[in-house]
Amino acid sequence: ETGVTQSPTHLIKTRGQQVTLRCSSQSGHNTVSWYQQALGQGPQFIFQYYREEENGRGNFPPRFSGLQFPNYSSELNVNALELDDSALYLCASSRWDRGETQYFGPGTRLLVL
Amino acid sequence: SQQGEEDPQALSIQEGENATMNCSYKTSINNLQWYRQNSGRGLVHLILIRSNEREKHSGRLRVTLDTSKKSSSLLITASRAADTASYFCATVVIYNQGGKLIFGQGTELSVKP
């Protein structure tokens, strides 16, 4: 059983650019959630995807968008990057069963200059 | 915004000692989960306790849940240097067809050999 993988591991962008982060779900999981973790803080929920549709969203602006593919992998896209977008972005997969355990990938650390 | 708070924010103990971390939350929950994070990397799921459970054990971990006080505690017995990490509690908020994790700010545990 393969775990959750994310790419890239690190990324440096400049303000105003766009970025795409990728996530492969754990085998057997059909739900993907994305979280943003600023330094010294707990992760904050961005959104969740189930059956290729957004299924719940946290307090993040529309320039944060995502996709889920038929193989349940997912992308997080962030447009018009701001300095405050610098953070660790975590992807988590789970079976569709509300409230069950989410399994996290190693994260992508994004630095916006 | 964070659902709850963890206490203490930082804890330093000697190897072999027990470590206790507390978590408080604000709303009704389906379940509460504890995660560990090493050096800003991905989160590792430790244990899930449901709202109708009061105590749960897993190896050296003991979790309690008091829904009347909206609080939980994580006890790590006979700590090891490898337990050094940040520990987060997360409550599950159910919505539509999914569930999102709401994390506290975490407790940073340092176990000295």
Side-chain angles (χ1 to χ4, degrees):
Chain A
E1 184 179 85
T2 55
V4 180
T5 60
Q6 292 186 243
S7 63
T9 54
H10 296 83
L11 203 51
I12 299 175
K13 291 284 188 178
T14 55
R15 195 170 48 181
Q17 284 189 312
Q18 178 266 343
V19 69
T20 297
L21 310 181
R22 295 179 175 81
C23 170
S24 291
S25 302
Q26 183 166 316
S27 176
H29 290 178
N30 56 17
T31 301
V32 174
S33 303
W34 285 91
Y35 295 83
Q36 180 196 66
Q37 186 178 21
L39 205 59
Q41 303 292 316
Q44 291 207 15
F45 176 75
I46 303 174
F47 45 52
Q48 183 178 82
Y49 276 81
Y50 169 67
R51 288 187 174 176
E52 302 175 50
E53 291 192 0
E54 186 179 291
N55 177 39
R57 187 179 186 92
N59 189 25
F60 282 81
R63 59 190 185 83
F64 285 78
S65 64
L67 285 172
Q68 186 183 31
F69 300 100
N71 66 353
Y72 306 124
S73 65
S74 177
E75 285 182 356
L76 164 65
N77 299 290
V78 187
N79 293 322
L81 283 167
E82 300 177 358
L83 299 180
D84 285 348
D85 296 334
S86 295
L88 180 68
Y89 288 85
L90 295 161
C91 164
S93 74
S94 57
R95 284 189 298 264
W96 182 77
D97 188 357
R98 297 182 302 167
E100 289 306 306
T101 299
Q102 297 187 12
Y103 294 86
F104 284 80
T108 293
R109 187 161 295 282
L110 172 65
L111 177 61
V112 182
L113 301 175
Chain B
S1 62
Q2 307 292 88
Q3 159 76 299
E5 298 179 359
E6 275 136 316
D7 171 55
Q9 290 189 340
L11 180 61
S12 183
I13 59 175
Q14 294 294 129
E15 225 171 11
E17 293 181 338
N18 295 340
T20 299
M21 288 159 267
N22 303 296
C23 167
S24 61
Y25 57 92
K26 298 174 183 174
T27 63
S28 297
I29 60 171
N30 175 276
N31 66 59
L32 184 144
Q33 303 178 28
W34 285 89
Y35 288 82
R36 184 186 76 221
Q37 184 176 41
N38 290 84
S39 301
R41 301 179 67 184
L43 282 82
V44 175
H45 179 260
L46 295 176
I47 197 164
L48 180 155
I49 186 165
R50 301 191 185 278
S51 58
N52 62 351
E53 297 175 311
R54 292 294 168 261
E55 187 171 311
K56 202 162 182 179
H57 297 254
S58 176
R60 295 185 295 115
L61 305 180
R62 172 179 170 255
V63 169
T64 62
L65 179 64
D66 186 335
T67 53
S68 66
K69 295 182 180 177
K70 291 187 168 59
S71 67
S72 174
S73 67
L74 170 67
L75 168 67
I76 303 175
T77 60
S79 63
R80 306 166 182 168
D83 295 329
T84 295
S86 294
Y87 291 82
F88 294 90
C89 71
T91 52
V92 177
V93 175
I94 302 297
Y95 60 89
N96 298 333
Q97 301 178 60
K100 62 182 178 182
L101 297 174
I102 306 294
F103 288 87
Q105 294 202 344
T107 293
E108 193 171 330
L109 173 65
S110 175
V111 181
K112 300 186 187 310

